[in-house]
Amino acid sequence: MPTQISGITHTLQQTIDVLSQPVDGSAAMLDCDFRLPSVDAMKSIISLIREIVFPGYFDSTYVDHRMQHYAIGVSVDRLFTVLVNQISRGFITEECIEHESAQAEKRAQEIALNFIRRLPELRRVLYTDVQAIFHNDPAVSNSSEIIFCYPVVQAMIHYRVAHELFTMGVPVIPRILTELAHSLTGIDIHPGATIGEYFSIDHGTGVVIGETCIIGNHVTLYQGVTLGAKSFTLDDDGHPLNLPRHPIIEDHVTIYSNASVLGRITVGHHSVIGGNVWLTESVRPHSRILQRKASSTLYTDGAGI
Amino acid sequence: MPTQISGITHTLQQTIDVLSQPVDGSAAMLDCDFRLPSVDAMKSIISLIREIVFPGYFDSTYVDHRMQHYAIGVSVDRLFTVLVNQISRGFITEECIEHESAQAEKRAQEIALNFIRRLPELRRVLYTDVQAIFHNDPAVSNSSEIIFCYPVVQAMIHYRVAHELFTMGVPVIPRILTELAHSLTGIDIHPGATIGEYFSIDHGTGVVIGETCIIGNHVTLYQGVTLGAKSFTLDDDGHPLNLPRHPIIEDHVTIYSNASVLGRITVGHHSVIGGNVWLTESVRPHSRILQRKASSTLYTDGAGI
Amino acid sequence: MPTQISGITHTLQQTIDVLSQPVDGSAAMLDCDFRLPSVDAMKSIISLIREIVFPGYFDSTYVDHRMQHYAIGVSVDRLFTVLVNQISRGFITEECIEHESAQAEKRAQEIALNFIRRLPELRRVLYTDVQAIFHNDPAVSNSSEIIFCYPVVQAMIHYRVAHELFTMGVPVIPRILTELAHSLTGIDIHPGATIGEYFSIDHGTGVVIGETCIIGNHVTLYQGVTLGAKSFTLDDDGHPLNLPRHPIIEDHVTIYSNASVLGRITVGHHSVIGGNVWLTESVRPHSRILQRKASSTLYTDGAGI
Amino acid sequence: MPTQISGITHTLQQTIDVLSQPVDGSAAMLDCDFRLPSVDAMKSIISLIREIVFPGYFDSTYVDHRMQHYAIGVSVDRLFTVLVNQISRGFITEECIEHESAQAEKRAQEIALNFIRRLPELRRVLYTDVQAIFHNDPAVSNSSEIIFCYPVVQAMIHYRVAHELFTMGVPVIPRILTELAHSLTGIDIHPGATIGEYFSIDHGTGVVIGETCIIGNHVTLYQGVTLGAKSFTLDDDGHPLNLPRHPIIEDHVTIYSNASVLGRITVGHHSVIGGNVWLTESVRPHSRILQRKASSTLYTDGAGI
Amino acid sequence: MPTQISGITHTLQQTIDVLSQPVDGSAAMLDCDFRLPSVDAMKSIISLIREIVFPGYFDSTYVDHRMQHYAIGVSVDRLFTVLVNQISRGFITEECIEHESAQAEKRAQEIALNFIRRLPELRRVLYTDVQAIFHNDPAVSNSSEIIFCYPVVQAMIHYRVAHELFTMGVPVIPRILTELAHSLTGIDIHPGATIGEYFSIDHGTGVVIGETCIIGNHVTLYQGVTLGAKSFTLDDDGHPLNLPRHPIIEDHVTIYSNASVLGRITVGHHSVIGGNVWLTESVRPHSRILQRKASSTLYTDGAGI
Amino acid sequence: MPTQISGITHTLQQTIDVLSQPVDGSAAMLDCDFRLPSVDAMKSIISLIREIVFPGYFDSTYVDHRMQHYAIGVSVDRLFTVLVNQISRGFITEECIEHESAQAEKRAQEIALNFIRRLPELRRVLYTDVQAIFHNDPAVSNSSEIIFCYPVVQAMIHYRVAHELFTMGVPVIPRILTELAHSLTGIDIHPGATIGEYFSIDHGTGVVIGETCIIGNHVTLYQGVTLGAKSFTLDDDGHPLNLPRHPIIEDHVTIYSNASVLGRITVGHHSVIGGNVWLTESVRPHSRILQRKASSTLYTDGAGI
């Protein structure tokens, strides 16, 4: 066996040497030492916020509700620390700088504190989402069940936290937060999207909400709905420009499963978009958009269609 | 730095005080001490059932098949204990009572024992699902591969277990079980749905099967299929009534990708529903429903459509 | 309580005895002792390859880039060992043989070594995917973000590794690898599919790419796109034949969200397929295929559509 | 191989049958269903008390010392819950009763609350131990090092907590707590022993302090010291009677390494007991006890003595 | 900073190169590829045996005692598998051979089966140890407490298992097992020692029992007792010969704390050896050996002795 | 129950308030924010060094010995990073400064690099210890067994690493490292002690080696040996002065079990100190010191001595 192992070792060593050289033209990708934000830290940010916003649902019970106060104190304390650490990593990643980390930490501290200040409002809005879900779902009997196991609640916690941080100019982290929710729920909301109160998504798998969407209050989506871009303009380097390119959905709109609403169009308030519709033009308030009727024939042959 | 830290601490403490007060109008949400079922316990329920139903696939191998008997014994013993514990938590959550937990445990014990009695039948039906998947997929060569890595098998174990518990009146737990499968597979089957034998779903992401669906034997679905509600009736409080509102799918029906079948309609046996179809009316047996043909033009301009 | 517990024990023991007998007709399923590949080992294969291909993104930082060489060496060394172990398990599972494991290990060793040799090329192609994603997404500002958190990158690592192993004749493992990505990202690419360079998928949830697909370079897909089979031919045993049955997508094609492209058809180069389209016939190069316009009415009544 | 495996299985099954029968005469050992206290719960009790008594040493840092209040609140809340649970298990184990668990929990609740009330005093005494250690060790420069890494601190936390619970009549748990410290530090203090303030042990391995010891203030022990029993009286069943049988050590006594002080004797205050001494009679205050001088010869031969 | 990091990297790389060369003269130490037994596997061997011998103490409770049968079956099944695997690793380590692993596995299988056959006897003897401990300790009220938390029980399980394997000629593993107990309890029993029934050790820290000791029934040791060698004979290479060199302790002997009994001497039955005694000559049955009395003076000066 | 819970909560809150105030007079203990070194980081330092010094014993096997080079590279790289981080924490703890952490990190970097440079020498000396142990133990047949499971090897790795760092002026960390070994092995070596080559300890539990000990080459100790201080001088504050106060042990000395050698005395080369001896005066080279003979009587009465 020695000779055989010797040959294996030789091949491994040669491949290692090749892999230790950067890919041609990819130098720019790897040209600075960065410390990327940690996915585990992201998970603990969400976990702490869940304990603060919905106390008793995801952590252990207390001797008594009055003891909750301490638990919230500890969660807020930890949340602040994790946020400062991760936000400053975000700045360092973005700007490829490590030597200015003291300044990065100072900016991170300010942002983290602002975020903490926003927590009561964040909580209030998340409770409106829970109420909206409750009013839309005949299959549910109490809000505990919604908070505890509905994927849309998870997606909305991730999104609303990410959106706050996005608005405050935090790089990278908002996107990681929403991609975590995407992986868990199949709901992909860009942190840049603006979403009003009492928002609900039923089932949710396959929902996509683009970066420049503006969504009003009391809007309901079903699984597979895309609020996307129809096209985009390229800059001189051939990279697409980041312009408003996603729909505006006004208050009290419902969009059924697998509908695609594309481009900077407006869906007027109190409209209903039917399932599987492909919509690329604005519609007036109180509209009702349906797919054309499918053709029907008798089915005779064996397998397939 | 002391003064700066002092300011931070002050802000944190103020926010903690606000967050320690309930949100206005949400009092009802949190007005009893409950011990929610544990997600980890749910995972171990499914894990134990997988080891019982498909022995050797998900646990360690045995010296010999005859030793399997002991492993099944241990799994059933543990399963009973976990079920009793979680089901009684389910009752407590639902009814917001802790002082009657002795009675809750007695009811839980009866249900858990009935569930154990149903295990052989549950196993038999799951094997019909594996066979159906095997017969529908040209890409697979043996059933080990299906059992080991097809998401639909995972979804069906979760659903069939959840459906048994749902039928026995267990609250909350059935929904948690199917949401776990939903997160892992993108397949969202309500535990209340009734599904016959030899059921298969290919790929599966985005499939939604509503609470009052009735599905026959030998039915096949593809990814993105919705068997949903078209509308629902509100009660006097504005909360939707839980009435039959999802389709009835008869035996030997195949529904292709991204089709939406909505409302209390009947799809007759041996029918085929084409992909991306939006169907809200009943169809006779042996029907074949297709989307209208797409328009085609030559594509000339740069980016987008 | 003794009598009650006695009754419970009796029921448990009876059920255990039934469950220790195989299901009728399922004997073939369980008739050999196999050691299935380990899902944890699959995860570590992907994890090692990510560290080799994108060093610094998923592991800890180094003192200096020049120290990376050692980390790549260790990863390649471990990767080789894990691959040999898992590939030989794959052969054993497939052929239901344990007594020939020495031979299985020798074949596994050859394949693992060939796979290692392919790593630099695999890396090169994955970098073209990252570039393609970067050029398609106005919302992203640098490729670090793409590598670190875009689900399509994860899906492509899994697919491209699985495809190499599939091509080398490794059983079971390629499918487990792509199903892992499917669960995490909602993107379901069969390891048998052939995909060119500069491939990108946006959002991705619900994408299905079938076993016999052939996809050119510079192809872009959006969420919910199915490249599937329209029908399949059964063999004499009623099991479907594994023939070419999925689309050929030529270079520079873009397919928008929720479109279904089915059967052994060809989508000519530089074509654009609109969202929600159901396409079962070949289209010429430079085609532009759109869904027919939806019908629109004013929406008046209360709930539902 | 089948026949060989068959023989193995046969032997395993036979042995399992034998092992499923109780050992002759050991019936009494196993004749009730009990739920023993959990070792992990014991560890978390100690861990919570360490965080309460020495905040900042064993848990994460805070934004600011003023945030410590919340962490102490959470620790006390959890400690109370774990104590109630474990103490009632202790009663159940002792009395072999499960049907009276409601009463056991009530007693446990009272004891746990009394224990919580004792925490400030417990903390005060532990601080005197830290000071005593600091004053006895020329090799240490600050008390942080003592708290963080001296085994005697660990041993004293375990002992002082165990002693409180022992005094309150809690069964089993005190002994588990001190045995945990014994395993970690080699210091074996029976929870029944009475130990004053400003107590210190240097190095500690092999120290044994018996159940009925009474130790004053400002006592110092070195490694290997035994404060043990010389003999014990048997009851009519031949089981030893639990009478006072260990030494009384008055204030300001120092006992050097490996000395054995045995029986219900009194070591008068301000005495020094030399190393390796075997002492079975009382000594007056201000005594100084030394081992007789060793014999010395020139050493000539090869190995051994 | 680049230049500084450059210097660091240079130093690290140089040191790595030196460390990649073997130490002079140590070649023999590392000249074969071996797979050492796994410490985690050792721990699971002990854990499985504890569950088999003392069911209900260290694992979860059962619905009913009659369900224990299954748990014992699973434990025996796993124990056999782990033993075969580890024992064959032991042979491979010892003989520096990997190519004969099939034969090593066959020998391992025979030994593991013999070990399983010995389990009922092993259990019987361990129960005599528990009884002996119970009769020697005035501080204990029931045997549950002994089994659950006395270090000597842990030490005796490790020793008695290790001794069986040692006697069957298994290399390396017996020593690892007793060293694990040594680390946890401070009791160091060589697996080669022969120890009769009803053996007990109180406190235990510092006890050493040498390889060629022969200990009768009903023997009791206290902490710090050494049953050691006085000298050893060297072979021609200067390595000590492995001859009988440790004491023979007859039935019903008690040896008190910190006594050293050295050399191939015999301590006659029903003897008592006092604490801190240094004994290198045989003593007749019914002897009573005590340390000479310590000298006593009044203690006057400040610190130290 | 509400009133009862109310009372519990009240007591808990009151106690929390008391515990949130510092103990009187202990203010100095807690007056700065420090980040103590992490025990887990200490464990990984030792683990990395074990992999570097004894490659193949504690980590996974390699394809081939030539691949070890990469593993050593990665271990050295990580070791450097962990050391820099922990050493600078050590400085911060000692000096109660956080604002100068940049300077602390620079000093830490220099020390860590010096430590890395010493690794080859550290390895060489550890191999002499392994050889010494091998030559002293008749019960061992190869050095693999020593390296893999002898507690003294573990103790010596911890000590020799700690001593290097102690010599370089690193605070706190050396002591944590040796206390970890103390807990695992019962061997307590102060990092300040100076120990020559070819050092061995048999069994080891209870061995204590003081801070100012100087030990030559080829010295062997047995379990329970104390090389301690006899007395110490107090400074004006009553704190003991850190002066040379422990023995000097010259080359080729053997000290048997439980001997205590105390004070700044010299044990001449080639001396043998017998077990249980209490030695406080210097002895000439080639001395042989034994305990006086024990008294012996016939043993007649029942229990005890």
Side-chain angles (χ1 to χ4, degrees), chain A residues 145-163:
Chain A
E145 197 176 328
I146 292 168
I147 293 169
F148 193 61
C149 68
Y150 272 44
V152 60
V153 173
Q154 190 154 31
M156 291 313 289
I157 296 174
H158 281 249
Y159 157 72
R160 294 207 183 275
V161 169
H163 181 66

Side-chain angles (χ1 to χ4, degrees), chain B residues 254-271:
Chain B
T254 298
I255 306 180
Y256 282 92
S257 57
N258 298 322
S260 298
V261 182
L262 304 178
R264 191 52 160 192
I265 63 174
T266 297
V267 175
H269 56 83
H270 294 90
S271 290

